[in-house]
Amino acid sequence: MEKRTDLRSILQYLPLVAQSSSLVWPPSVREKLQMLSKGPSESTVNSGEALALQITNLRKSLSLNASDHAPYALKGYTLFFDEKISREESAKFFGEVVPVLCRLLLQLPSMLETHYQKADHFLDGVASGLRLLGPQEAGIVFLSQELIAALLACSFFCLFPQVDRRLKHLQTINFDELFSSHGTKSENKIRCLIHYFERICQSMPTGFISFERKVLPMEYNPHYVSYPEADYWAKSITPLCSVEVHTSGAIEDQPGEALEVDFADEYFGGLTLSYDTLQEEIRFVINPELIAGMLFLPRMDENEAIEVVGVERFSLYTGYGPSFQYAGDYTDKKDLDIFRRRKTRVIAIDALPNPGESQYKLNALLREVNKAFSGYLHQCKYKIDESLKIPLEAGTNYTHPEASSSRHDPLQSDPARQVIESSQRWCIDHEEDKKIGVATGNWGCGVFGGNPELKFMLQWLAISQSGRPFMSYYTFGLQALQNLNQVIERVTLQELTVGDLWNKVAEYSSEKLSRRTRLGFFSWLVTSLST
């Protein structure tokens, strides 16, 4: 087991140790977890204060550095479970949830061993095991929802070592900082996460989730799409895709199947486990399984995106930012695909932060359109080992694509095309994927300071060029986009191609930088098309 390169890359970031051919908890940790698994009558853990003490003891048994723990975290656990929620809620959590979470943690070593045994065969010739998936490493990790639940239980008890995570550009994944913030925003994030634990302890999900790092290679190769230069965009004759504008609603509530854009920063998950509550952080707490990716996905480079398929939603919410509130249970009814992933596809792409006037420079335009392009390029089905398919439970929705999952992949037999970037490495031109559009919104605007008119156009270009059939755009009621439908109609009537629109964007940006125009892009574009 310890000879596996995938396991070796992630082992120092896990709370387990490798012993001979097995993964194990240190004996003192196992004893404490066994005691906690018996419930309050045996463990006496029936309050936030008692829980905080046990977290301290567990961390000491793992020899974790006390300085890596947020200073007010233990007080936060006490405050939340002893004051912020009712006695009934607290008693239920300690009586029913904590024991199940500890039993889940006791199973973590065997779950990981099983995971690695199947990882070599789950996808035909493609590595899928849990590992550090670093920058410029196009690849995929397949995890069961049960394994993710155990990993998130480690986060709740703050058991992940922090050593060297920052050096590898990895986010913190323990919940200590979140509990150390005593504001309303962090309290509602915690409520979403606690609800997730309550749900999985009542009924453990049995599906799978994939985390993929997608890379647009910088080097040119005639066999696949590489990082495009301005000339590529300027000469494109690809038609623009259709656009549907929504002035209300949220991306995660869109009814059809689409790539759902996560307005990420370069670190996957951003400030999810801190006190802030931006749109990305909201997505990560209503779909907590996304947090697992923070364990092994370092920050993204400018030519990368991260795609997650299969996450389940557990919570409703209201508001945004300071007004964000947990609003109760959510039952996710999305169908499953052939890999038993829910048909929810989340694409994390990070925009330039606080770009100011520099966002109109050609290199900034290229960076943004190519970043979006890297996320939207077609992904296709993998070939699955049929012997590893788990029977679906009665009543589970399941849709099998018309095309066979085991059809011949020409990339496997052509040595000249073995080393290729992610969008082609996994792709076999699957017809079903071609029908899936993009649901997005004001990417890189808001606190990131991007121009919403410009960002809309750059996304329209990237989605169209990637071959996606449509864009569902959520304006979130932004005043700057109140005339968006009229602008789209005008562009569509002119039958502009991707190249035509890119040239308009580049021309406007040049005039904006040289101060030859004071108009907003939409006004400038309509005037330009009129003349």
Side-chain angles (χ1 to χ4, degrees), residues 216-230:
L216 266 179
M218 292 296 191
E219 301 80 16
Y220 171 75
N221 188 302
H223 293 304
Y224 56 82
V225 179
S226 54
Y227 196 81
E229 299 295 339

Side-chain angles (χ1 to χ4, degrees), residues 35-36 38-55 77-78 80-83 85-99 157:
M35 179 264 294
L36 288 166
K38 296 176 181 178
S41 60
E42 296 283 339
S43 68
T44 69
V45 176
N46 56 8
S47 68
E49 185 177 5
L51 175 64
L53 177 62
Q54 289 303 321
I55 289 174
Y77 280 88
T78 301
F80 181 82
F81 288 105
D82 296 347
E83 297 183 29
I85 62 177
S86 69
R87 289 185 179 180
E88 291 76 16
E89 290 175 301
S90 182
K92 180 180 179 181
F93 187 79
F94 292 114
E96 299 178 15
V97 179
V98 169
F157 288 103

Side-chain angles (χ1 to χ4, degrees), residues 177-248:
E177 187 176 341
L178 184 57
F179 274 93
S180 70
S181 306
H182 302 148
T184 302
K185 290 185 290 185
S186 57
E187 177 187 330
N188 279 280
K189 281 188 184 181
I190 293 169
R191 285 182 180 272
C192 289
L193 295 173
I194 293 303
H195 176 66
Y196 161 75
F197 287 127
E198 291 172 343
R199 279 276 305 275
I200 59 107
C201 287
Q202 290 171 358
S203 177
M204 181 61 68
T206 58
F208 287 84
I209 297 169
S210 64
F211 298 81
E212 181 174 355
R213 184 180 287 272
K214 302 167 70 174
V215 181
L216 266 179
M218 292 296 191
E219 301 80 16
Y220 171 75
N221 188 302
H223 293 304
Y224 56 82
V225 179
S226 54
Y227 196 81
E229 299 295 339
D231 196 51
Y232 171 92
W233 293 102
K235 294 181 178 179
S236 172
I237 59 172
T238 302
L240 295 169
C241 70
S242 64
V243 182
E244 183 176 336
V245 177
H246 306 270
T247 56
S248 61

Side-chain angles (χ1 to χ4, degrees), residues 367-401:
R367 190 273 182 198
E368 297 297 78
V369 74
N370 286 341
K371 168 63 72 166
F373 191 46
S374 70
Y376 302 151
L377 275 171
H378 281 294
Q379 298 297 297
C380 297
K381 301 297 183 184
Y382 300 76
K383 295 190 295 181
I384 192 168
D385 184 334
E386 295 292 322
S387 67
L388 294 174
K389 285 172 63 176
I390 302 172
L392 293 169
E393 294 178 351
T396 303
N397 293 322
Y398 174 69
T399 303
H400 194 295

Side-chain angles (χ1 to χ4, degrees), residues 431-443:
E431 292 301 318
E432 182 178 308
D433 193 65
K434 287 184 175 182
K435 301 174 184 176
I436 296 172
V438 178
T440 186
N442 307 323
W443 172 60

Side-chain angles (χ1 to χ4, degrees), residues 458-470:
L458 292 172
Q459 289 193 84
W460 196 6
L461 289 167
I463 293 167
S464 301
Q465 188 64 27
S466 69
R468 298 289 172 185
F470 67 87

Side-chain angles (χ1 to χ4, degrees), residues 101-117:
L101 291 182
C102 291
R103 288 196 287 273
L104 190 63
L105 286 174
L106 288 167
Q107 297 169 26
L108 177 59
S110 61
M111 277 195 281
L112 276 170
E113 290 178 16
T114 301
H115 163 77
Y116 284 114
Q117 289 166 5

Side-chain angles (χ1 to χ4, degrees), residues 169-457:
H169 305 292
L170 287 161
Q171 291 275 65
T172 181
I173 190 172
N174 289 329
F175 290 177
D176 55 317
E177 187 176 341
L178 184 57
F179 274 93
S180 70
S181 306
H182 302 148
T184 302
K185 290 185 290 185
S186 57
E187 177 187 330
N188 279 280
K189 281 188 184 181
I190 293 169
R191 285 182 180 272
C192 289
L193 295 173
I194 293 303
H195 176 66
Y196 161 75
F197 287 127
E198 291 172 343
R199 279 276 305 275
I200 59 107
C201 287
Q202 290 171 358
S203 177
M204 181 61 68
T206 58
F208 287 84
I209 297 169
S210 64
F211 298 81
E212 181 174 355
R213 184 180 287 272
K214 302 167 70 174
V215 181
L216 266 179
M218 292 296 191
E219 301 80 16
Y220 171 75
N221 188 302
H223 293 304
Y224 56 82
V225 179
S226 54
Y227 196 81
E229 299 295 339
D231 196 51
Y232 171 92
W233 293 102
K235 294 181 178 179
S236 172
I237 59 172
T238 302
L240 295 169
C241 70
S242 64
V243 182
E244 183 176 336
V245 177
H246 306 270
T247 56
S248 61
I251 292 170
E252 64 270 14
D253 293 325
Q254 54 86 30
E257 188 176 357
L259 303 180
E260 301 173 11
V261 178
D262 168 40
F263 304 152
D265 67 16
E266 60 183 346
Y267 289 93
F268 184 70
L271 300 172
T272 297
L273 300 181
S274 72
Y275 59 87
D276 278 321
T277 315
L278 305 177
Q279 195 64 33
E280 177 183 23
E281 285 72 58
I282 291 176
R283 190 65 198 259
F284 274 61
V285 294
I286 65 172
N287 295 90
E289 292 157 331
L290 286 167
I291 295 171
M294 297 166 64
L295 173 64
F296 57 90
L297 291 167
R299 74 181 183 192
M300 291 179 277
D301 287 340
E302 63 180 13
N303 61 328
E304 298 182 323
I306 290 170
E307 179 174 356
V308 184
V309 182
V311 288
E312 184 172 350
R313 181 174 172 185
F314 291 87
S315 297
L316 291 168
Y317 73 94
T318 59
Y320 174 78
S323 63
F324 169 73
Q325 283 191 323
Y326 164 71
D329 181 55
Y330 179 88
T331 301
D332 197 327
K333 297 180 180 178
K334 287 281 185 74
D335 288 347
L336 305 181
D337 69 11
I338 191 172
F339 298 103
R340 303 189 62 247
R341 301 175 299 182
R342 290 188 181 276
K343 291 187 176 181
T344 298
R345 303 165 180 240
V346 178
I347 296 288
I349 51 173
D350 56 302
L352 288 169
N354 305 312
E357 288 295 303
S358 67
Q359 68 185 297
Y360 302 106
K361 293 181 179 179
L362 183 60
N363 64 342
L365 297 176
L366 272 173
R367 190 273 182 198
E368 297 297 78
V369 74
N370 286 341
K371 168 63 72 166
F373 191 46
S374 70
Y376 302 151
L377 275 171
H378 281 294
Q379 298 297 297
C380 297
K381 301 297 183 184
Y382 300 76
K383 295 190 295 181
I384 192 168
D385 184 334
E386 295 292 322
S387 67
L388 294 174
K389 285 172 63 176
I390 302 172
L392 293 169
E393 294 178 351
T396 303
N397 293 322
Y398 174 69
T399 303
H400 194 295
E402 292 179 3
S404 169
S405 65
S406 59
R407 68 190 246 192
H408 175 62
D409 181 357
L411 300 182
Q412 297 294 331
S413 57
D414 184 356
R417 301 182 63 190
Q418 286 296 313
V419 185
I420 53 181
E421 53 86 25
S422 65
S423 67
Q424 293 291 328
R425 174 65 183 88
W426 317 130
C427 192
I428 319 173
D429 194 27
H430 198 288
E431 292 301 318
E432 182 178 308
D433 193 65
K434 287 184 175 182
K435 301 174 184 176
I436 296 172
V438 178
T440 186
N442 307 323
W443 172 60
C445 306
V447 296
F448 270 52
N451 180 325
E453 297 179 6
L454 186 66
K455 283 293 195 295
F456 167 81
M457 290 297 175

